[in-house]
Amino acid sequence: MRIWVNGELRDAEDARVSVLDHGLTVGDGIFETVKTVDGRPFALTRHLDRLTRSARGLGLPAPDLDEVRRACADVIDANPMALGRLRITYTGGLSPLGSDRGDAGPGLVVALGEAARRPDTTAVITVPWTRNERGALTGLKTTSYAENVVALARAHEHGASEALFANTAGQLCEGTGSNVFVVLDGRLHTPPVASGCLAGITRALAVEWTGAQETELPFDVLERAEEIFLTSTLRDVQAVDRVDGRELTGGVGPVTAKAMRIFDERAGNDLDP
Ligand SMILES: Cc1ncc(COP(=O)(O)O)c(C=O)c1O
């Protein structure tokens, strides 16, 4: 595998950043995960916009998007595959050991790994830990993801592929790496960004393409929703067939099936919507 590290492509074993990089020592970094299909990135412009927003939120210099695009293209060309997970990581760079950031400038790493198409349905659990809708990092896609690591491990222990969080106000928020949609009385809803969820790119496209409403929802809506689905870069639209102990009858419900179909069609027609 060939990886872009700070200006050049390197073999994986020679692709290194400093052990004093602030991304490693304190999680001071941001990232994007972009789907690639047959060597072409999906929705790259939206991902780069969010990368810039995350950088601003963390007080990192704005990334040079021409360089990031070149890095992505070079990595994709060097690693041909059918379905890929393109990972852009942009960190605080060489820094002192504490929380103060150094002035060496940010680091950029772009890597590509093979991905498998997700199953159409999956199980999720709820977790007791909360998302903070009022934190300094709320809405930013930072590399400080250890809370997600813990929650996702809990999901796997319970035979699920995702864990869903409430926010501190007890409202439905998001998953460790996905947004959530619910069907109530036949209508599609998803929590607003003010709930503290990431402004997911798949979420935004699904809202645009299905007309889903952004609605504040209590966390226990998961106990009564007629249908539930997840959205993320690598899940696209994925139906939920079990939440904790509750089976959702019928696997992929009608509203979810329609959202999946619309998403596949629209995404297939435009690689950079
Ligand atoms: C916390 C979190 N929420 C939601 C999402 C979904 O966002 P996207 O559709 O942009 O992949 C992600 C990213 O994968 C995420 O990390």
Side-chain angles (χ1 to χ4, degrees), residues 36-191:
T36 67
V37 183
D38 296 328
R40 284 177 303 177
F42 178 68
L44 185 59
T45 303
R46 287 181 187 250
H47 283 284
L48 296 184
D49 285 351
R50 189 171 63 190
L51 188 74
T52 302
R53 287 203 306 279
S54 296
R56 193 178 305 128
L58 227 55
L60 287 166
D64 174 347
L65 295 188
D66 290 336
E67 187 197 5
V68 179
R69 278 186 185 274
R70 202 173 338 115
C72 291
D74 285 1
V75 168
I76 289 170
D77 283 351
N79 303 280
M81 62 186 71
L83 186 63
R85 168 197 286 260
L86 182 68
R87 161 83 188 213
I88 304 167
T89 310
Y90 187 67
T91 68
L94 205 62
S95 296
L97 288 171
S99 292
D100 281 320
R101 186 182 294 150
D103 49 20
L108 174 67
V109 175
V110 179
L112 182 65
E114 299 229 33
R117 175 146 173 96
R118 91 288 182 274
D120 281 350
T121 62
T122 195
V124 304
I125 61 162
T126 56
V127 286
W129 311 299
T130 53
R131 279 284 194 257
N132 179 2
E133 68 280 13
R134 290 175 287 125
L137 303 185
T138 305
L140 309 179
K141 198 162 166 70
T142 78
T143 58
S144 299
Y145 253 41
E147 290 208 322
N148 293 322
V149 173
V150 171
L152 188 58
R154 168 78 67 98
H156 290 321
E157 280 165 22
H158 288 80
S161 79
E162 183 58 303
L164 297 178
F165 294 91
N167 64 16
T168 67
Q171 295 161 338
L172 180 64
C173 188
E174 65 175 347
T176 67
S178 64
N179 292 107
V180 58
F181 288 65
V182 298
V183 177
L184 300 170
D185 293 327
R187 305 287 304 263
L188 196 46
H189 301 267
T190 194

